[in-house]
Amino acid sequence: MYGLAISPGTLVVWVGEARTALQGTSDLIAQYLCDAALVNADESSLRVAGQLHWLHIAANDTLTWYGLHAKRGMEAIIAHGILPNRLGVLVHDCWAPYWKLDDATHALCNAHLLRELLYVKELTGHQWPQAMTDFLLSSNQLCWAAWRSAAHFSEADIAAFRALFDAIVGAGEALHP
């Protein structure tokens, strides 16, 4: 803003001060996520001082926690302490280490599923991936509409969803046992 150069050392000090000031908030967010009914998890690579590291996230609809670690797998998940200690459903991208959290109720991320379905459709030319994509997107719209109007699906509605889902999965399994 003023055209003044800031030394790298000053930036390092500021980052350290911010980390100290925000640690309590970060710990509180982590605890809320451990207690949450649903937690989303993901990780992305980034460079730290030229070395590959991983930015792990745990989030729900109101909170997001970020954790940096040199490792990507279970070592990082355990070190961060949120996912092994959470109580609710774990939503993820089907990455193998998440399945090692065997006390979890797992749910797969629809955004990741939609990407995988697009890949399978482009790779194979089959129709079932598009049918599943359409089913997931339509189901999501119906669920949001029901939620907004405080409506509930009947057992017959749920059975119909399940029957259509099973039929699409069956079509895919028939082609890819």
Side-chain angles (χ1 to χ4, degrees):
M1 179 183 302
Y2 295 103
L4 301 174
I6 299 174
S7 76
T10 298
L11 289 176
V12 168
V13 169
W14 288 348
V15 168
E17 289 172 353
R19 183 187 191 286
T20 300
L22 293 171
Q23 188 61 54
T25 301
S26 178
D27 292 344
L28 190 59
I29 290 170
Q31 186 57 57
Y32 283 146
L33 290 169
C34 285
D35 297 338
L38 185 140
V39 175
N40 302 293
D42 205 358
E43 72 294 324
S44 295
S45 64
L46 74 158
R47 297 266 173 203
V48 175
Q51 300 295 314
L52 182 64
H53 281 65
W54 296 91
L55 182 66
H56 295 256
I57 68 108
N60 65 13
D61 59 341
T62 58
L63 299 168
T64 301
W65 179 92
Y66 298 95
L68 184 66
H69 201 279
K71 303 283 181 159
R72 184 177 181 213
M74 283 305 293
E75 183 179 333
I77 290 170
I78 291 167
H80 292 314
I82 296 173
L83 301 182
N85 296 311
R86 81 183 178 329
L87 302 173
V89 174
L90 179 61
V91 180
H92 57 82
D93 60 0
C94 209
W95 182 45
Y98 294 133
W99 293 109
K100 293 180 182 175
L101 299 166
D102 55 6
D103 63 332
T105 299
H106 295 271
L108 300 181
C109 170
N110 276 340
H112 284 89
L113 287 174
L114 292 172
R115 282 193 298 220
E116 294 292 331
L117 288 165
L118 178 60
Y119 172 74
V120 172
K121 178 185 170 190
E122 290 175 350
L123 182 70
T124 66
H126 294 155
Q127 293 305 308
W128 72 267
Q130 186 62 53
M132 182 59 79
T133 297
D134 295 343
F135 170 78
L136 291 173
L137 293 173
S138 296
S139 298
N140 186 52
Q141 289 176 344
L142 290 170
C143 288
W144 276 110
W147 180 78
R148 282 190 298 274
S149 66
H152 297 282
F153 292 112
S154 69
E155 287 187 32
D157 293 333
I158 293 169
F161 278 115
R162 184 62 192 230
L164 184 52
F165 175 85
D166 288 345
I168 297 167
V169 169
E173 287 179 332
L175 294 168
H176 306 283

